[in-house]
Amino acid sequence: MPYPAPFRSSVMTVKPEWIDFNGHLNMAYYNVLFDQCADEIYGDLGFGPDYHAKTGNTTYVAEFHLAYVRELHVNDPVTVTFHLVDFDAKRFHSYSEIWHTGGWLAATGETMTLHVDQSGPCVAPMPADILANLSRVGAAHSALPRPKRLGASIGIPKP
C-alpha cells in the first residue's frame, strides 16, 4: 500500500484551556498541534516512544517557522498534514499544515529536525532502518507539489 502523501493526522480538537484572552487559540498551542502530528508519524519513521531507550538517540527541532493563516476557536476540529521535503543522514526538513475539518487552512509550519546522540549530545547519523523509512516516505512525498509557503522569510519590505 502506498504511503499517504501528505501524511494526515487523526482529528484533534482545540481544547478550552488553550484559548487566550482574545477568544482564539493561543499561539503556543498551534505548536502543540504540529507536535501531536509529528508524534503520530514518528512511529512510521521509527522514532516511536521506545526509540530513545533502545538507542540513546532522539530528535531535536533546530528551527521551526510558523505562519498563522486563520484563527482557531474552542472545540474546532482539525487535522495536521506532514510533508517530508528533504532529508540526509543527520536531519530532515518537513512542512506541515493545520486544516480545520471544514476545509480551510489555519496555519503552516516548517521544521528542520536533527537526529541527536544524547550521550554528547551531538548531531549523529540515523540508523539504516530510519533512513530506509525516510526514503519510503520521501519517495511518496516527492510527488507532492512544492508548498508555496515553504522557505518563507520574515521581514518588513523596504520601498
Side-chain angles (χ1 to χ4, degrees), residues 18 25-38 64-68 80 98 107-111:
W18 295 353
L25 184 62
N26 179 279
M27 61 185 267
Y29 293 100
Y30 285 84
N31 284 318
V32 169
L33 292 168
F34 284 119
D35 197 49
Q36 288 179 345
C37 175
F64 187 79
H65 297 195
L66 193 153
Y68 305 98
V80 181
I98 298 175
T108 65
E110 184 174 358
T111 311

Side-chain angles (χ1 to χ4, degrees), residues 92-104:
F92 59 94
H93 179 195
S94 60
Y95 173 83
S96 295
E97 296 177 334
I98 298 175
W99 285 90
H100 189 280
T101 58
W104 47 267

Side-chain angles (χ1 to χ4, degrees), residues 11-76:
V11 175
M12 298 177 261
T13 303
V14 174
K15 297 180 181 184
E17 60 268 27
W18 295 353
I19 302 302
D20 65 17
F21 61 86
N22 293 316
H24 59 252
L25 184 62
N26 179 279
M27 61 185 267
Y29 293 100
Y30 285 84
N31 284 318
V32 169
L33 292 168
F34 284 119
D35 197 49
Q36 288 179 345
C37 175
D39 288 348
E40 289 186 27
I41 194 171
Y42 263 31
D44 293 347
L45 298 177
F47 298 121
D50 58 346
Y51 180 71
H52 177 263
K54 286 182 180 177
T55 66
N57 298 323
T58 190
T59 61
Y60 288 2
V61 171
E63 190 168 347
F64 187 79
H65 297 195
L66 193 153
Y68 305 98
V69 178
R70 187 168 166 185
E71 292 178 1
L72 289 170
H73 298 93
V74 69
N75 296 323
D76 276 349

